[in-house]
Amino acid sequence: EVPVDPRGAALGGTAVTTAPDASALFWNPALAARGTRTQATAAHLSYFADVAMNYAAVTQNVGGFTVGAHVQTLDSGEMNVTTEFSGPAGTGQTFSYLGVGGGVTVSQALTDLFAYGVTAKLAREASADIAMTVPLLDLGVHYRVGTTGANIGVAIRNFGLNGEASGEIERPTVDGGIVIEDDFEALVPPPTFLLGVSYDVVRAGAHGLTVAGQLTNPNDNAEQLNVGAEYVWNDLLSLRAGYRFGVEEATTPTLGFGVVVPGLGNQTIRADYGFDRFDRLGTTHRVGVSVQL
């Protein structure tokens, strides 16, 4: 559910109609069909409490289709094991959490106006000696409203079957004994519904301005209204800002920028940065690179 790329995060999460690179595999797989060249994206998020997220994706046109693949990781790093009896200092043992997701995408532009996409993926979470793996689907469509500069996007992410953890873990008891926990409840994946619109306010000469709005409805949290804007100068510099209504901790705008740097031949390379702040948790920083070959 956490935005993986600096551009989408800087726009307040309003990328379901506007993701122009391989980050489309996260936001809306239908957008992958809009690219006419090979796209590759890599991004890193410095999250709270030294947690790190990494994302990499690539798309390629094959015949009348666009195919893609992505991988995403969330790594907590080493944490101290604490129990009711060890106190804050812990037991001297450590553990870590690692989440890994990846999948393949097929998308197609049926016309200049309408495109669809499907991603089949696996998500695996592991902590200590407990792990869970579930299959998931992402579905998306994208529609250009003629030549008006308006776009509509709809996506459903992380739709799949319930998952149940396996493994076992020891739990100390008050009387000094040990209980082996190996029976776990089934968990529902967190599907999220996205409905977004965007509009090119300005497309004249060296200047471009796009505004976007998006309804984000996760099944395990409150509904959000996201807004964002991106100004592009001469296809070289992008300035971005966004805001999320309905997220209690997010009371300041999201911000970011992108810079296109020279590549070899017809390559286009863009470096991006995204800034986000939560009132009590603090700030997050995202960096990423996107390449068109």
PDB file of all heavy atoms in Angstrom, residues 20-21 35-40 264 266-270 290-293:
ATOM      1  N   PRO A  20       4.258   7.681 -15.928  1.00  0.00           N
ATOM      2  CA  PRO A  20       4.749   7.632 -17.307  1.00  0.00           C
ATOM      3  C   PRO A  20       5.832   6.595 -17.557  1.00  0.00           C
ATOM      4  O   PRO A  20       6.347   6.502 -18.661  1.00  0.00           O
ATOM      5  CB  PRO A  20       5.327   9.046 -17.488  1.00  0.00           C
ATOM      6  CG  PRO A  20       5.904   9.359 -16.136  1.00  0.00           C
ATOM      7  CD  PRO A  20       5.013   8.662 -15.125  1.00  0.00           C
ATOM      8  N   ASP A  21       6.213   5.834 -16.533  1.00  0.00           N
ATOM      9  CA  ASP A  21       7.349   4.925 -16.647  1.00  0.00           C
ATOM     10  C   ASP A  21       6.966   3.570 -16.063  1.00  0.00           C
ATOM     11  O   ASP A  21       5.788   3.262 -15.904  1.00  0.00           O
ATOM     12  CB  ASP A  21       8.567   5.511 -15.942  1.00  0.00           C
ATOM     13  CG  ASP A  21       8.229   6.013 -14.540  1.00  0.00           C
ATOM     14  OD1 ASP A  21       7.407   5.365 -13.867  1.00  0.00           O
ATOM     15  OD2 ASP A  21       8.773   7.048 -14.120  1.00  0.00           O
ATOM     16  N   GLY A  35       3.490   3.406 -22.976  1.00  0.00           N
ATOM     17  CA  GLY A  35       4.885   3.636 -23.324  1.00  0.00           C
ATOM     18  C   GLY A  35       5.221   3.026 -24.676  1.00  0.00           C
ATOM     19  O   GLY A  35       4.757   1.928 -25.016  1.00  0.00           O
ATOM     20  N   THR A  36       6.025   3.722 -25.471  1.00  0.00           N
ATOM     21  CA  THR A  36       6.405   3.233 -26.790  1.00  0.00           C
ATOM     22  C   THR A  36       7.828   2.701 -26.824  1.00  0.00           C
ATOM     23  O   THR A  36       8.289   2.225 -27.857  1.00  0.00           O
ATOM     24  CB  THR A  36       6.277   4.362 -27.831  1.00  0.00           C
ATOM     25  OG1 THR A  36       7.110   5.462 -27.441  1.00  0.00           O
ATOM     26  CG2 THR A  36       4.830   4.833 -27.935  1.00  0.00           C
ATOM     27  N   ARG A  37       8.526   2.769 -25.696  1.00  0.00           N
ATOM     28  CA  ARG A  37       9.910   2.319 -25.629  1.00  0.00           C
ATOM     29  C   ARG A  37      10.096   1.431 -24.402  1.00  0.00           C
ATOM     30  O   ARG A  37       9.224   1.347 -23.538  1.00  0.00           O
ATOM     31  CB  ARG A  37      10.855   3.527 -25.554  1.00  0.00           C
ATOM     32  CG  ARG A  37      10.749   4.441 -26.762  1.00  0.00           C
ATOM     33  CD  ARG A  37      11.225   5.853 -26.466  1.00  0.00           C
ATOM     34  NE  ARG A  37      12.640   5.904 -26.105  1.00  0.00           N
ATOM     35  CZ  ARG A  37      13.265   7.032 -25.759  1.00  0.00           C
ATOM     36  NH1 ARG A  37      12.608   8.185 -25.722  1.00  0.00           N
ATOM     37  NH2 ARG A  37      14.545   7.004 -25.441  1.00  0.00           N
ATOM     38  N   THR A  38      11.246   0.770 -24.339  1.00  0.00           N
ATOM     39  CA  THR A  38      11.573  -0.018 -23.154  1.00  0.00           C
ATOM     40  C   THR A  38      11.758   0.917 -21.962  1.00  0.00           C
ATOM     41  O   THR A  38      12.444   1.933 -22.055  1.00  0.00           O
ATOM     42  CB  THR A  38      12.859  -0.821 -23.379  1.00  0.00           C
ATOM     43  OG1 THR A  38      12.678  -1.684 -24.501  1.00  0.00           O
ATOM     44  CG2 THR A  38      13.198  -1.656 -22.153  1.00  0.00           C
ATOM     45  N   GLN A  39      11.121   0.572 -20.843  1.00  0.00           N
ATOM     46  CA  GLN A  39      11.168   1.417 -19.651  1.00  0.00           C
ATOM     47  C   GLN A  39      11.748   0.611 -18.491  1.00  0.00           C
ATOM     48  O   GLN A  39      11.426  -0.570 -18.313  1.00  0.00           O
ATOM     49  CB  GLN A  39       9.748   1.858 -19.262  1.00  0.00           C
ATOM     50  CG  GLN A  39       8.948   2.481 -20.380  1.00  0.00           C
ATOM     51  CD  GLN A  39       8.966   3.997 -20.324  1.00  0.00           C
ATOM     52  OE1 GLN A  39       9.663   4.580 -19.500  1.00  0.00           O
ATOM     53  NE2 GLN A  39       8.204   4.633 -21.189  1.00  0.00           N
ATOM     54  N   ALA A  40      12.582   1.253 -17.698  1.00  0.00           N
ATOM     55  CA  ALA A  40      13.122   0.630 -16.488  1.00  0.00           C
ATOM     56  C   ALA A  40      13.113   1.655 -15.363  1.00  0.00           C
ATOM     57  O   ALA A  40      13.435   2.827 -15.584  1.00  0.00           O
ATOM     58  CB  ALA A  40      14.534   0.115 -16.714  1.00  0.00           C
ATOM     59  N   LEU A 264      22.809   8.143 -23.474  1.00  0.00           N
ATOM     60  CA  LEU A 264      23.547   7.725 -24.666  1.00  0.00           C
ATOM     61  C   LEU A 264      22.566   7.468 -25.796  1.00  0.00           C
ATOM     62  O   LEU A 264      21.599   6.725 -25.628  1.00  0.00           O
ATOM     63  CB  LEU A 264      24.363   6.463 -24.372  1.00  0.00           C
ATOM     64  CG  LEU A 264      25.425   6.579 -23.269  1.00  0.00           C
ATOM     65  CD1 LEU A 264      26.082   5.231 -23.028  1.00  0.00           C
ATOM     66  CD2 LEU A 264      26.470   7.619 -23.643  1.00  0.00           C
ATOM     67  N   ASN A 266      19.515   7.516 -27.925  1.00  0.00           N
ATOM     68  CA  ASN A 266      18.121   7.910 -27.707  1.00  0.00           C
ATOM     69  C   ASN A 266      17.652   7.672 -26.282  1.00  0.00           C
ATOM     70  O   ASN A 266      16.466   7.799 -25.993  1.00  0.00           O
ATOM     71  CB  ASN A 266      17.206   7.144 -28.683  1.00  0.00           C
ATOM     72  CG  ASN A 266      17.445   7.549 -30.125  1.00  0.00           C
ATOM     73  OD1 ASN A 266      17.738   8.709 -30.409  1.00  0.00           O
ATOM     74  ND2 ASN A 266      17.329   6.580 -31.037  1.00  0.00           N
ATOM     75  N   GLN A 267      18.564   7.308 -25.409  1.00  0.00           N
ATOM     76  CA  GLN A 267      18.171   7.064 -24.021  1.00  0.00           C
ATOM     77  C   GLN A 267      17.694   8.355 -23.355  1.00  0.00           C
ATOM     78  O   GLN A 267      18.216   9.437 -23.610  1.00  0.00           O
ATOM     79  CB  GLN A 267      19.332   6.496 -23.219  1.00  0.00           C
ATOM     80  CG  GLN A 267      19.739   5.095 -23.592  1.00  0.00           C
ATOM     81  CD  GLN A 267      20.887   4.607 -22.737  1.00  0.00           C
ATOM     82  OE1 GLN A 267      21.399   5.326 -21.887  1.00  0.00           O
ATOM     83  NE2 GLN A 267      21.312   3.371 -22.966  1.00  0.00           N
ATOM     84  N   THR A 268      16.709   8.211 -22.483  1.00  0.00           N
ATOM     85  CA  THR A 268      16.256   9.298 -21.629  1.00  0.00           C
ATOM     86  C   THR A 268      16.354   8.831 -20.186  1.00  0.00           C
ATOM     87  O   THR A 268      15.792   7.796 -19.822  1.00  0.00           O
ATOM     88  CB  THR A 268      14.805   9.692 -21.942  1.00  0.00           C
ATOM     89  OG1 THR A 268      14.711  10.108 -23.308  1.00  0.00           O
ATOM     90  CG2 THR A 268      14.355  10.849 -21.054  1.00  0.00           C
ATOM     91  N   ILE A 269      17.070   9.590 -19.371  1.00  0.00           N
ATOM     92  CA  ILE A 269      17.269   9.221 -17.970  1.00  0.00           C
ATOM     93  C   ILE A 269      16.705  10.331 -17.089  1.00  0.00           C
ATOM     94  O   ILE A 269      17.030  11.508 -17.280  1.00  0.00           O
ATOM     95  CB  ILE A 269      18.764   9.017 -17.656  1.00  0.00           C
ATOM     96  CG1 ILE A 269      19.364   7.960 -18.586  1.00  0.00           C
ATOM     97  CG2 ILE A 269      18.960   8.611 -16.200  1.00  0.00           C
ATOM     98  CD1 ILE A 269      20.863   7.812 -18.446  1.00  0.00           C
ATOM     99  N   ARG A 270      15.862   9.949 -16.137  1.00  0.00           N
ATOM    100  CA  ARG A 270      15.274  10.926 -15.221  1.00  0.00           C
ATOM    101  C   ARG A 270      15.550  10.514 -13.785  1.00  0.00           C
ATOM    102  O   ARG A 270      15.300   9.371 -13.402  1.00  0.00           O
ATOM    103  CB  ARG A 270      13.761  11.034 -15.445  1.00  0.00           C
ATOM    104  CG  ARG A 270      13.127  12.236 -14.735  1.00  0.00           C
ATOM    105  CD  ARG A 270      11.612  12.257 -14.830  1.00  0.00           C
ATOM    106  NE  ARG A 270      11.009  11.252 -13.962  1.00  0.00           N
ATOM    107  CZ  ARG A 270      10.249  10.263 -14.386  1.00  0.00           C
ATOM    108  NH1 ARG A 270      10.012  10.108 -15.674  1.00  0.00           N
ATOM    109  NH2 ARG A 270       9.735   9.386 -13.534  1.00  0.00           N
ATOM    110  N   SER A 290      14.606   6.586 -13.577  1.00  0.00           N
ATOM    111  CA  SER A 290      13.828   5.966 -14.647  1.00  0.00           C
ATOM    112  C   SER A 290      14.560   6.145 -15.968  1.00  0.00           C
ATOM    113  O   SER A 290      15.088   7.220 -16.252  1.00  0.00           O
ATOM    114  CB  SER A 290      12.427   6.591 -14.739  1.00  0.00           C
ATOM    115  OG  SER A 290      11.691   6.354 -13.565  1.00  0.00           O
ATOM    116  N   VAL A 291      14.575   5.085 -16.764  1.00  0.00           N
ATOM    117  CA  VAL A 291      15.309   5.091 -18.033  1.00  0.00           C
ATOM    118  C   VAL A 291      14.383   4.638 -19.143  1.00  0.00           C
ATOM    119  O   VAL A 291      13.649   3.650 -18.995  1.00  0.00           O
ATOM    120  CB  VAL A 291      16.540   4.170 -17.969  1.00  0.00           C
ATOM    121  CG1 VAL A 291      17.299   4.183 -19.299  1.00  0.00           C
ATOM    122  CG2 VAL A 291      17.452   4.564 -16.822  1.00  0.00           C
ATOM    123  N   GLN A 292      14.398   5.368 -20.259  1.00  0.00           N
ATOM    124  CA  GLN A 292      13.737   4.948 -21.482  1.00  0.00           C
ATOM    125  C   GLN A 292      14.808   4.600 -22.506  1.00  0.00           C
ATOM    126  O   GLN A 292      15.706   5.386 -22.773  1.00  0.00           O
ATOM    127  CB  GLN A 292      12.841   6.050 -22.049  1.00  0.00           C
ATOM    128  CG  GLN A 292      11.624   6.361 -21.199  1.00  0.00           C
ATOM    129  CD  GLN A 292      10.705   7.356 -21.878  1.00  0.00           C
ATOM    130  OE1 GLN A 292      10.900   7.724 -23.033  1.00  0.00           O
ATOM    131  NE2 GLN A 292       9.686   7.783 -21.173  1.00  0.00           N
ATOM    132  N   LEU A 293      14.714   3.391 -23.073  1.00  0.00           N
ATOM    133  CA  LEU A 293      15.740   2.917 -24.011  1.00  0.00           C
ATOM    134  C   LEU A 293      15.205   2.927 -25.447  1.00  0.00           C
ATOM    135  O   LEU A 293      14.015   2.789 -25.659  1.00  0.00           O
ATOM    136  CB  LEU A 293      16.162   1.500 -23.638  1.00  0.00           C
ATOM    137  CG  LEU A 293      16.699   1.318 -22.216  1.00  0.00           C
ATOM    138  CD1 LEU A 293      17.004  -0.155 -21.967  1.00  0.00           C
ATOM    139  CD2 LEU A 293      17.931   2.158 -21.987  1.00  0.00           C
TER     140      LEU A 293
END
